[in-house]
Amino acid sequence: MISECQMHIASFGQTPEGQVIQIFTLEIPGVIKASIMTLGATLTELHVPDRFGKMEDVVLGFDSLEGYLQDAYQQEYCYLGATIGRVAGRTNGNRFEIEGRLYQLPENQGDVHLHGGVSGWDRKLWVGKPFQSENEIGVDFSLFSPNGEEGYPGNIHVSVRYAVNLEGELKISYEATTDHATIINPTNHSYFNLSGDHSETIFDHELTIPAEHYLPIDGSCFPLEELKNVSGSPFDFRKSRKIGVALAENHPQLKNGNGIDHAFKLNTSNPEIILYHPKSGRRMTCITTAPAVQVYTSNHFKGTYPGKSNSYYKQHAAICLETQGFPNAANRPDFPTIRLNPNETFESQTIFKFTIQ
Ligand code: BGC
């Protein structure tokens, strides 16, 4: 039973249309503190201890709602901490077919339909409902996504549960149903920097990914056909490696992504990804039911506007571990399906567990 836990619900401000955005803070003192707002079911803060017990925020974001609503940020489609849907990543040709019908998806980042489109789930107002169980406290966010939204078929009811527990875990669980065959591939787009200093890069972070294969991309970051073995490439994180060392390698795939912006095929018997920051001692273990992880090393940050505590986010200021189905899975019968049929329930769960090493 969690006796020390605390839950705060507050207003985070209003949109120009007058919608009130709520923010839920889940706290287990000295262990973990997470804040999530109803706009985009977005993780805005995540505080965890370093080896001296100092609690610091390990995700990028803004101190106020205005930061998230500013034009410069909205136009970049950066998705700091947001829930991504309906479909994470890129779908080649911005199109897919279901039951003989072709669906063309609207472009939002240049000529790409990215992360659910112009107004994806990251921009929707979710309804948040707090809960408490014997072992955890959390919030259930729910959303109705109507048929045709951003070009996708099917009326979808989706929920995202954020929960924290005494083990220092943040658990994110997705559930969705539809009334028409469709595709769904949600994820969370948190940018982690375990140093707690958001003006730093993540070059000194060490990364372990139990993946033998990654999916190469073209110059526009669209996934190519063939999975490649990580062996002898900057994408070999089977043994822990410093991210800065991998990024410094001279490899055409790093040029295409401007850094790492690639999906890794997870080893299903050991889907544990580890991010470690030696200086603070913070260690994050990411455990997922998803078949892949899109690793993105904040390659396009330009530091043009201030983030939290007036820090300017520069290139490689953080890393995203977007656990999900493969990008472009809608057009790839050889990948685990992202199709959702009526009378089925989509389910997926990712745990971010924080410990000290
Ligand atoms: C994508 C990147 C994109 C970034 C921010 C990542 O998930 O793979 O290509 O720039 O999100 O939108």
PDB file of all heavy atoms in Angstrom, residues 144-174:
ATOM      1  N   PHE A 144     -11.844  10.303 -27.704  1.00  0.00           N
ATOM      2  CA  PHE A 144     -12.581   9.731 -28.827  1.00  0.00           C
ATOM      3  C   PHE A 144     -12.009  10.334 -30.105  1.00  0.00           C
ATOM      4  O   PHE A 144     -11.956  11.555 -30.251  1.00  0.00           O
ATOM      5  CB  PHE A 144     -14.078  10.042 -28.712  1.00  0.00           C
ATOM      6  CG  PHE A 144     -14.847   9.637 -29.937  1.00  0.00           C
ATOM      7  CD1 PHE A 144     -14.963   8.304 -30.283  1.00  0.00           C
ATOM      8  CD2 PHE A 144     -15.424  10.604 -30.763  1.00  0.00           C
ATOM      9  CE1 PHE A 144     -15.643   7.917 -31.433  1.00  0.00           C
ATOM     10  CE2 PHE A 144     -16.107  10.228 -31.915  1.00  0.00           C
ATOM     11  CZ  PHE A 144     -16.222   8.881 -32.251  1.00  0.00           C
ATOM     12  N   SER A 145     -11.567   9.480 -31.009  1.00  0.00           N
ATOM     13  CA  SER A 145     -10.984   9.945 -32.272  1.00  0.00           C
ATOM     14  C   SER A 145     -11.937   9.518 -33.395  1.00  0.00           C
ATOM     15  O   SER A 145     -12.055   8.332 -33.704  1.00  0.00           O
ATOM     16  CB  SER A 145      -9.605   9.285 -32.426  1.00  0.00           C
ATOM     17  OG  SER A 145      -9.058   9.551 -33.681  1.00  0.00           O
ATOM     18  N   PRO A 146     -12.665  10.488 -33.985  1.00  0.00           N
ATOM     19  CA  PRO A 146     -13.726  10.114 -34.936  1.00  0.00           C
ATOM     20  C   PRO A 146     -13.205   9.570 -36.264  1.00  0.00           C
ATOM     21  O   PRO A 146     -12.078   9.876 -36.675  1.00  0.00           O
ATOM     22  CB  PRO A 146     -14.482  11.431 -35.150  1.00  0.00           C
ATOM     23  CG  PRO A 146     -13.540  12.501 -34.780  1.00  0.00           C
ATOM     24  CD  PRO A 146     -12.576  11.942 -33.777  1.00  0.00           C
ATOM     25  N   ASN A 147     -14.058   8.806 -36.914  1.00  0.00           N
ATOM     26  CA  ASN A 147     -13.789   8.262 -38.255  1.00  0.00           C
ATOM     27  C   ASN A 147     -13.335   9.387 -39.182  1.00  0.00           C
ATOM     28  O   ASN A 147     -13.952  10.455 -39.213  1.00  0.00           O
ATOM     29  CB  ASN A 147     -15.103   7.633 -38.770  1.00  0.00           C
ATOM     30  CG  ASN A 147     -14.951   7.069 -40.161  1.00  0.00           C
ATOM     31  OD1 ASN A 147     -13.898   6.555 -40.519  1.00  0.00           O
ATOM     32  ND2 ASN A 147     -16.005   7.181 -40.950  1.00  0.00           N
ATOM     33  N   GLY A 148     -12.244   9.171 -39.893  1.00  0.00           N
ATOM     34  CA  GLY A 148     -11.776  10.174 -40.859  1.00  0.00           C
ATOM     35  C   GLY A 148     -10.788  11.164 -40.274  1.00  0.00           C
ATOM     36  O   GLY A 148     -10.180  11.942 -41.021  1.00  0.00           O
ATOM     37  N   GLU A 149     -10.616  11.151 -38.954  1.00  0.00           N
ATOM     38  CA  GLU A 149      -9.697  12.113 -38.348  1.00  0.00           C
ATOM     39  C   GLU A 149      -8.292  11.930 -38.919  1.00  0.00           C
ATOM     40  O   GLU A 149      -7.752  10.821 -38.926  1.00  0.00           O
ATOM     41  CB  GLU A 149      -9.666  11.905 -36.826  1.00  0.00           C
ATOM     42  CG  GLU A 149      -8.896  12.983 -36.089  1.00  0.00           C
ATOM     43  CD  GLU A 149      -8.991  12.798 -34.581  1.00  0.00           C
ATOM     44  OE1 GLU A 149      -8.339  11.885 -34.047  1.00  0.00           O
ATOM     45  OE2 GLU A 149      -9.751  13.546 -33.942  1.00  0.00           O
ATOM     46  N   GLU A 150      -7.727  13.013 -39.413  1.00  0.00           N
ATOM     47  CA  GLU A 150      -6.385  13.004 -40.016  1.00  0.00           C
ATOM     48  C   GLU A 150      -6.241  11.915 -41.079  1.00  0.00           C
ATOM     49  O   GLU A 150      -5.166  11.350 -41.275  1.00  0.00           O
ATOM     50  CB  GLU A 150      -5.309  12.870 -38.934  1.00  0.00           C
ATOM     51  CG  GLU A 150      -5.223  14.075 -38.005  1.00  0.00           C
ATOM     52  CD  GLU A 150      -4.838  15.378 -38.713  1.00  0.00           C
ATOM     53  OE1 GLU A 150      -3.982  15.318 -39.616  1.00  0.00           O
ATOM     54  OE2 GLU A 150      -5.396  16.435 -38.376  1.00  0.00           O
ATOM     55  N   GLY A 151      -7.358  11.607 -41.725  1.00  0.00           N
ATOM     56  CA  GLY A 151      -7.318  10.695 -42.865  1.00  0.00           C
ATOM     57  C   GLY A 151      -7.489   9.218 -42.533  1.00  0.00           C
ATOM     58  O   GLY A 151      -7.509   8.380 -43.441  1.00  0.00           O
ATOM     59  N   TYR A 152      -7.595   8.866 -41.259  1.00  0.00           N
ATOM     60  CA  TYR A 152      -7.663   7.444 -40.871  1.00  0.00           C
ATOM     61  C   TYR A 152      -9.108   6.976 -40.716  1.00  0.00           C
ATOM     62  O   TYR A 152      -9.948   7.716 -40.200  1.00  0.00           O
ATOM     63  CB  TYR A 152      -6.957   7.220 -39.535  1.00  0.00           C
ATOM     64  CG  TYR A 152      -5.473   7.508 -39.539  1.00  0.00           C
ATOM     65  CD1 TYR A 152      -4.989   8.762 -39.149  1.00  0.00           C
ATOM     66  CD2 TYR A 152      -4.552   6.533 -39.901  1.00  0.00           C
ATOM     67  CE1 TYR A 152      -3.625   9.032 -39.128  1.00  0.00           C
ATOM     68  CE2 TYR A 152      -3.184   6.790 -39.881  1.00  0.00           C
ATOM     69  CZ  TYR A 152      -2.730   8.040 -39.489  1.00  0.00           C
ATOM     70  OH  TYR A 152      -1.382   8.302 -39.480  1.00  0.00           O
ATOM     71  N   PRO A 153      -9.389   5.732 -41.089  1.00  0.00           N
ATOM     72  CA  PRO A 153     -10.756   5.216 -40.926  1.00  0.00           C
ATOM     73  C   PRO A 153     -11.040   4.746 -39.491  1.00  0.00           C
ATOM     74  O   PRO A 153     -10.118   4.461 -38.727  1.00  0.00           O
ATOM     75  CB  PRO A 153     -10.782   4.008 -41.873  1.00  0.00           C
ATOM     76  CG  PRO A 153      -9.370   3.531 -41.922  1.00  0.00           C
ATOM     77  CD  PRO A 153      -8.499   4.754 -41.751  1.00  0.00           C
ATOM     78  N   GLY A 154     -12.327   4.649 -39.168  1.00  0.00           N
ATOM     79  CA  GLY A 154     -12.748   4.039 -37.903  1.00  0.00           C
ATOM     80  C   GLY A 154     -12.909   5.041 -36.775  1.00  0.00           C
ATOM     81  O   GLY A 154     -12.086   5.938 -36.604  1.00  0.00           O
ATOM     82  N   ASN A 155     -14.017   4.895 -36.034  1.00  0.00           N
ATOM     83  CA  ASN A 155     -14.185   5.648 -34.790  1.00  0.00           C
ATOM     84  C   ASN A 155     -13.382   4.918 -33.720  1.00  0.00           C
ATOM     85  O   ASN A 155     -13.617   3.738 -33.456  1.00  0.00           O
ATOM     86  CB  ASN A 155     -15.660   5.655 -34.364  1.00  0.00           C
ATOM     87  CG  ASN A 155     -16.500   6.525 -35.283  1.00  0.00           C
ATOM     88  OD1 ASN A 155     -16.298   7.741 -35.349  1.00  0.00           O
ATOM     89  ND2 ASN A 155     -17.444   5.920 -35.992  1.00  0.00           N
ATOM     90  N   ILE A 156     -12.432   5.612 -33.123  1.00  0.00           N
ATOM     91  CA  ILE A 156     -11.560   4.956 -32.134  1.00  0.00           C
ATOM     92  C   ILE A 156     -11.806   5.530 -30.736  1.00  0.00           C
ATOM     93  O   ILE A 156     -11.877   6.749 -30.568  1.00  0.00           O
ATOM     94  CB  ILE A 156     -10.071   5.137 -32.516  1.00  0.00           C
ATOM     95  CG1 ILE A 156      -9.727   4.267 -33.726  1.00  0.00           C
ATOM     96  CG2 ILE A 156      -9.155   4.802 -31.364  1.00  0.00           C
ATOM     97  CD1 ILE A 156      -8.253   4.099 -33.980  1.00  0.00           C
ATOM     98  N   HIS A 157     -11.935   4.644 -29.766  1.00  0.00           N
ATOM     99  CA  HIS A 157     -11.890   5.037 -28.357  1.00  0.00           C
ATOM    100  C   HIS A 157     -10.522   4.602 -27.850  1.00  0.00           C
ATOM    101  O   HIS A 157     -10.178   3.424 -27.926  1.00  0.00           O
ATOM    102  CB  HIS A 157     -12.987   4.341 -27.550  1.00  0.00           C
ATOM    103  CG  HIS A 157     -14.353   4.863 -27.874  1.00  0.00           C
ATOM    104  ND1 HIS A 157     -14.875   5.976 -27.241  1.00  0.00           N
ATOM    105  CD2 HIS A 157     -15.285   4.457 -28.758  1.00  0.00           C
ATOM    106  CE1 HIS A 157     -16.080   6.224 -27.737  1.00  0.00           C
ATOM    107  NE2 HIS A 157     -16.362   5.317 -28.655  1.00  0.00           N
ATOM    108  N   VAL A 158      -9.768   5.565 -27.348  1.00  0.00           N
ATOM    109  CA  VAL A 158      -8.408   5.235 -26.904  1.00  0.00           C
ATOM    110  C   VAL A 158      -8.207   5.722 -25.476  1.00  0.00           C
ATOM    111  O   VAL A 158      -8.761   6.758 -25.088  1.00  0.00           O
ATOM    112  CB  VAL A 158      -7.340   5.836 -27.858  1.00  0.00           C
ATOM    113  CG1 VAL A 158      -7.486   7.332 -28.030  1.00  0.00           C
ATOM    114  CG2 VAL A 158      -5.926   5.493 -27.409  1.00  0.00           C
ATOM    115  N   SER A 159      -7.433   4.970 -24.702  1.00  0.00           N
ATOM    116  CA  SER A 159      -7.065   5.446 -23.369  1.00  0.00           C
ATOM    117  C   SER A 159      -5.574   5.233 -23.144  1.00  0.00           C
ATOM    118  O   SER A 159      -4.975   4.297 -23.688  1.00  0.00           O
ATOM    119  CB  SER A 159      -7.883   4.738 -22.288  1.00  0.00           C
ATOM    120  OG  SER A 159      -7.511   3.396 -22.238  1.00  0.00           O
ATOM    121  N   VAL A 160      -5.003   6.150 -22.388  1.00  0.00           N
ATOM    122  CA  VAL A 160      -3.596   6.058 -21.995  1.00  0.00           C
ATOM    123  C   VAL A 160      -3.543   6.188 -20.487  1.00  0.00           C
ATOM    124  O   VAL A 160      -4.033   7.182 -19.934  1.00  0.00           O
ATOM    125  CB  VAL A 160      -2.748   7.201 -22.621  1.00  0.00           C
ATOM    126  CG1 VAL A 160      -1.291   7.048 -22.217  1.00  0.00           C
ATOM    127  CG2 VAL A 160      -2.867   7.201 -24.122  1.00  0.00           C
ATOM    128  N   ARG A 161      -2.989   5.190 -19.840  1.00  0.00           N
ATOM    129  CA  ARG A 161      -2.867   5.234 -18.380  1.00  0.00           C
ATOM    130  C   ARG A 161      -1.419   5.530 -17.999  1.00  0.00           C
ATOM    131  O   ARG A 161      -0.492   4.854 -18.467  1.00  0.00           O
ATOM    132  CB  ARG A 161      -3.308   3.902 -17.770  1.00  0.00           C
ATOM    133  CG  ARG A 161      -2.890   3.745 -16.324  1.00  0.00           C
ATOM    134  CD  ARG A 161      -3.451   2.495 -15.684  1.00  0.00           C
ATOM    135  NE  ARG A 161      -4.869   2.655 -15.356  1.00  0.00           N
ATOM    136  CZ  ARG A 161      -5.512   1.907 -14.451  1.00  0.00           C
ATOM    137  NH1 ARG A 161      -4.885   0.955 -13.794  1.00  0.00           N
ATOM    138  NH2 ARG A 161      -6.790   2.108 -14.216  1.00  0.00           N
ATOM    139  N   TYR A 162      -1.227   6.567 -17.195  1.00  0.00           N
ATOM    140  CA  TYR A 162       0.095   6.843 -16.609  1.00  0.00           C
ATOM    141  C   TYR A 162       0.013   6.440 -15.141  1.00  0.00           C
ATOM    142  O   TYR A 162      -0.927   6.852 -14.445  1.00  0.00           O
ATOM    143  CB  TYR A 162       0.422   8.326 -16.640  1.00  0.00           C
ATOM    144  CG  TYR A 162       0.821   8.899 -17.985  1.00  0.00           C
ATOM    145  CD1 TYR A 162      -0.140   9.285 -18.917  1.00  0.00           C
ATOM    146  CD2 TYR A 162       2.160   9.112 -18.299  1.00  0.00           C
ATOM    147  CE1 TYR A 162       0.228   9.854 -20.137  1.00  0.00           C
ATOM    148  CE2 TYR A 162       2.536   9.679 -19.514  1.00  0.00           C
ATOM    149  CZ  TYR A 162       1.571  10.044 -20.421  1.00  0.00           C
ATOM    150  OH  TYR A 162       1.935  10.607 -21.620  1.00  0.00           O
ATOM    151  N   ALA A 163       0.969   5.657 -14.653  1.00  0.00           N
ATOM    152  CA  ALA A 163       0.957   5.266 -13.247  1.00  0.00           C
ATOM    153  C   ALA A 163       2.378   5.247 -12.704  1.00  0.00           C
ATOM    154  O   ALA A 163       3.326   4.933 -13.431  1.00  0.00           O
ATOM    155  CB  ALA A 163       0.326   3.883 -13.099  1.00  0.00           C
ATOM    156  N   VAL A 164       2.535   5.601 -11.428  1.00  0.00           N
ATOM    157  CA  VAL A 164       3.852   5.512 -10.777  1.00  0.00           C
ATOM    158  C   VAL A 164       3.734   4.600  -9.560  1.00  0.00           C
ATOM    159  O   VAL A 164       2.645   4.440  -9.002  1.00  0.00           O
ATOM    160  CB  VAL A 164       4.391   6.903 -10.344  1.00  0.00           C
ATOM    161  CG1 VAL A 164       4.590   7.808 -11.543  1.00  0.00           C
ATOM    162  CG2 VAL A 164       3.483   7.564  -9.308  1.00  0.00           C
ATOM    163  N   ASN A 165       4.865   4.018  -9.155  1.00  0.00           N
ATOM    164  CA  ASN A 165       4.839   3.143  -7.987  1.00  0.00           C
ATOM    165  C   ASN A 165       6.117   3.291  -7.159  1.00  0.00           C
ATOM    166  O   ASN A 165       7.046   4.016  -7.548  1.00  0.00           O
ATOM    167  CB  ASN A 165       4.582   1.684  -8.407  1.00  0.00           C
ATOM    168  CG  ASN A 165       5.707   1.139  -9.282  1.00  0.00           C
ATOM    169  OD1 ASN A 165       6.853   1.587  -9.219  1.00  0.00           O
ATOM    170  ND2 ASN A 165       5.375   0.164 -10.117  1.00  0.00           N
ATOM    171  N   LEU A 166       6.140   2.594  -6.025  1.00  0.00           N
ATOM    172  CA  LEU A 166       7.267   2.691  -5.083  1.00  0.00           C
ATOM    173  C   LEU A 166       8.584   2.182  -5.656  1.00  0.00           C
ATOM    174  O   LEU A 166       9.648   2.500  -5.142  1.00  0.00           O
ATOM    175  CB  LEU A 166       6.942   1.861  -3.833  1.00  0.00           C
ATOM    176  CG  LEU A 166       6.137   2.551  -2.745  1.00  0.00           C
ATOM    177  CD1 LEU A 166       5.709   1.533  -1.698  1.00  0.00           C
ATOM    178  CD2 LEU A 166       6.958   3.662  -2.100  1.00  0.00           C
ATOM    179  N   GLU A 167       8.504   1.379  -6.707  1.00  0.00           N
ATOM    180  CA  GLU A 167       9.724   0.840  -7.341  1.00  0.00           C
ATOM    181  C   GLU A 167      10.381   1.865  -8.260  1.00  0.00           C
ATOM    182  O   GLU A 167      11.328   1.535  -8.968  1.00  0.00           O
ATOM    183  CB  GLU A 167       9.402  -0.416  -8.166  1.00  0.00           C
ATOM    184  CG  GLU A 167       9.384  -1.709  -7.366  1.00  0.00           C
ATOM    185  CD  GLU A 167       8.170  -1.836  -6.498  1.00  0.00           C
ATOM    186  OE1 GLU A 167       7.065  -1.843  -7.063  1.00  0.00           O
ATOM    187  OE2 GLU A 167       8.310  -1.873  -5.259  1.00  0.00           O
ATOM    188  N   GLY A 168       9.858   3.078  -8.294  1.00  0.00           N
ATOM    189  CA  GLY A 168      10.440   4.102  -9.155  1.00  0.00           C
ATOM    190  C   GLY A 168      10.079   3.910 -10.610  1.00  0.00           C
ATOM    191  O   GLY A 168      10.843   4.274 -11.506  1.00  0.00           O
ATOM    192  N   GLU A 169       8.908   3.328 -10.847  1.00  0.00           N
ATOM    193  CA  GLU A 169       8.491   3.081 -12.230  1.00  0.00           C
ATOM    194  C   GLU A 169       7.430   4.077 -12.686  1.00  0.00           C
ATOM    195  O   GLU A 169       6.526   4.418 -11.914  1.00  0.00           O
ATOM    196  CB  GLU A 169       7.896   1.673 -12.369  1.00  0.00           C
ATOM    197  CG  GLU A 169       8.902   0.567 -12.152  1.00  0.00           C
ATOM    198  CD  GLU A 169       8.267  -0.818 -12.232  1.00  0.00           C
ATOM    199  OE1 GLU A 169       7.026  -0.928 -12.220  1.00  0.00           O
ATOM    200  OE2 GLU A 169       9.023  -1.788 -12.281  1.00  0.00           O
ATOM    201  N   LEU A 170       7.558   4.482 -13.934  1.00  0.00           N
ATOM    202  CA  LEU A 170       6.473   5.182 -14.620  1.00  0.00           C
ATOM    203  C   LEU A 170       5.972   4.212 -15.679  1.00  0.00           C
ATOM    204  O   LEU A 170       6.737   3.793 -16.553  1.00  0.00           O
ATOM    205  CB  LEU A 170       6.980   6.459 -15.296  1.00  0.00           C
ATOM    206  CG  LEU A 170       5.960   7.135 -16.225  1.00  0.00           C
ATOM    207  CD1 LEU A 170       4.823   7.757 -15.422  1.00  0.00           C
ATOM    208  CD2 LEU A 170       6.633   8.216 -17.083  1.00  0.00           C
ATOM    209  N   LYS A 171       4.693   3.841 -15.567  1.00  0.00           N
ATOM    210  CA  LYS A 171       4.121   2.855 -16.495  1.00  0.00           C
ATOM    211  C   LYS A 171       3.157   3.565 -17.417  1.00  0.00           C
ATOM    212  O   LYS A 171       2.275   4.290 -16.953  1.00  0.00           O
ATOM    213  CB  LYS A 171       3.277   1.864 -15.677  1.00  0.00           C
ATOM    214  CG  LYS A 171       3.846   0.505 -15.549  1.00  0.00           C
ATOM    215  CD  LYS A 171       2.810  -0.414 -14.939  1.00  0.00           C
ATOM    216  CE  LYS A 171       3.436  -1.194 -13.812  1.00  0.00           C
ATOM    217  NZ  LYS A 171       2.475  -2.017 -13.095  1.00  0.00           N
ATOM    218  N   ILE A 172       3.292   3.356 -18.715  1.00  0.00           N
ATOM    219  CA  ILE A 172       2.363   3.960 -19.672  1.00  0.00           C
ATOM    220  C   ILE A 172       1.680   2.823 -20.431  1.00  0.00           C
ATOM    221  O   ILE A 172       2.357   2.012 -21.077  1.00  0.00           O
ATOM    222  CB  ILE A 172       3.092   4.911 -20.645  1.00  0.00           C
ATOM    223  CG1 ILE A 172       3.950   5.923 -19.865  1.00  0.00           C
ATOM    224  CG2 ILE A 172       2.095   5.636 -21.532  1.00  0.00           C
ATOM    225  CD1 ILE A 172       4.719   6.917 -20.731  1.00  0.00           C
ATOM    226  N   SER A 173       0.344   2.770 -20.321  1.00  0.00           N
ATOM    227  CA  SER A 173      -0.406   1.664 -20.928  1.00  0.00           C
ATOM    228  C   SER A 173      -1.463   2.217 -21.869  1.00  0.00           C
ATOM    229  O   SER A 173      -2.184   3.160 -21.523  1.00  0.00           O
ATOM    230  CB  SER A 173      -1.110   0.832 -19.863  1.00  0.00           C
ATOM    231  OG  SER A 173      -0.271   0.604 -18.765  1.00  0.00           O
ATOM    232  N   TYR A 174      -1.544   1.618 -23.050  1.00  0.00           N
ATOM    233  CA  TYR A 174      -2.492   2.075 -24.076  1.00  0.00           C
ATOM    234  C   TYR A 174      -3.549   1.001 -24.314  1.00  0.00           C
ATOM    235  O   TYR A 174      -3.233  -0.196 -24.311  1.00  0.00           O
ATOM    236  CB  TYR A 174      -1.778   2.304 -25.416  1.00  0.00           C
ATOM    237  CG  TYR A 174      -0.604   3.242 -25.334  1.00  0.00           C
ATOM    238  CD1 TYR A 174       0.662   2.784 -24.965  1.00  0.00           C
ATOM    239  CD2 TYR A 174      -0.752   4.595 -25.619  1.00  0.00           C
ATOM    240  CE1 TYR A 174       1.743   3.643 -24.883  1.00  0.00           C
ATOM    241  CE2 TYR A 174       0.326   5.460 -25.541  1.00  0.00           C
ATOM    242  CZ  TYR A 174       1.568   4.976 -25.171  1.00  0.00           C
ATOM    243  OH  TYR A 174       2.642   5.839 -25.088  1.00  0.00           O
TER     244      TYR A 174
END
